[in-house]
């Protein structure tokens, strides 16, 4: 049984989702970290959020990744912290992080699929969110 950390705030849960998809391939690229920091600094959903919490939330994600049932525990924390109205936001942020470096490693794509399923994102909505991320991060 994993050592369950204390509960997360809704913005913490959004950060946890972004970190989880970035770390899924065991390589957090600089472009992904910059994307996370940029979104935390500029998106209205993070208004008033202490960006120093990114490090703490990231460590929680890394610690849970090391546990046998850690991914289930992580998604439990995320679902508990995220109101339903922010679940598509979480998926959109995750898609932006995955698209940020222009690479789509299989592990990150599988983690995105897991996020979509765990947060019960409608397939049609997910397709629209994924398309939006793809076109936002298109290179010339």
């Amino acid at each position: 049984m994993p050592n369950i950390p204390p509960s997360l705030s809704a913005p913490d849960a959004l950060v946890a989702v972004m970190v989880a998809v970035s770390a899924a391939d065991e390589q957090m690229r600089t472009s992904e970290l910059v994307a996370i920091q940029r979104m935390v600094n500029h998106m209205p959903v993070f208004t008033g959020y202490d960006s120093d919490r990114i490090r703490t939330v990231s460590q929680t994600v890394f610690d849970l990744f090391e546990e046998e049932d850690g991914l289930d525990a992580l998604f439990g924390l995320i679902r508990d912290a995220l109101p339903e109205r922010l679940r598509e936001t979480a998926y959109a942020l995750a898609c932006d992080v995955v698209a940020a470096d222009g690479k789509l490693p299989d592990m990150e794509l599988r983690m995105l699929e897991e996020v979509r399923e765990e947060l019960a994102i409608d397939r049609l909505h997910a397709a629209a969110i994924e398309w939006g991320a793809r076109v936002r991060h298109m290179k010339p």
Side-chain angles (χ1 to χ4, degrees):
M1 186 73 181
N3 184 11
I4 304 288
S7 64
L8 301 174
S9 68
D12 285 340
L14 294 171
V15 169
V17 169
M18 291 189 288
V19 170
V21 297
S22 176
D25 64 351
E26 299 178 359
Q27 295 182 17
M28 289 190 73
R29 290 172 182 79
T30 302
S31 57
E32 293 169 337
L33 294 171
V34 168
I36 292 169
Q37 187 69 54
R38 181 176 30 84
M39 287 185 269
V40 168
N41 288 341
H42 299 290
M43 300 217 46
V45 74
F46 292 107
T47 299
Y49 185 68
D50 179 2
S51 64
D52 290 341
R53 297 256 325 134
I54 295 172
R55 177 169 278 124
T56 303
V57 172
S58 296
Q59 192 58 56
T60 298
V61 172
F62 301 147
D63 291 348
L64 285 170
F65 273 9
E66 297 297 317
E67 298 283 341
E68 186 176 335
D69 294 323
L71 194 56
D72 290 336
L74 176 62
F75 280 118
L77 287 169
I78 290 167
R79 279 191 309 271
D80 288 348
L82 274 182
E84 193 166 324
R85 66 183 178 78
L86 289 181
R87 290 186 177 191
E88 288 178 343
T89 301
Y91 190 66
L93 295 173
C95 288
D96 279 344
V97 169
V98 168
D101 64 0
K103 297 175 175 68
L104 300 172
D106 286 343
M107 289 300 292
E108 287 183 3
L109 292 175
R110 278 197 287 281
M111 181 61 83
L112 265 182
E113 184 178 340
E114 187 82 18
V115 169
R116 184 177 69 236
E117 290 172 6
E118 291 287 338
L119 298 182
I121 306 297
D122 175 88
R123 282 206 175 278
L124 188 58
H125 295 185
I129 291 167
E130 292 160 8
W131 179 83
R134 184 180 62 80
V135 298
R136 271 192 304 283
H137 294 278
M138 190 75 63
K139 298 206 188 295

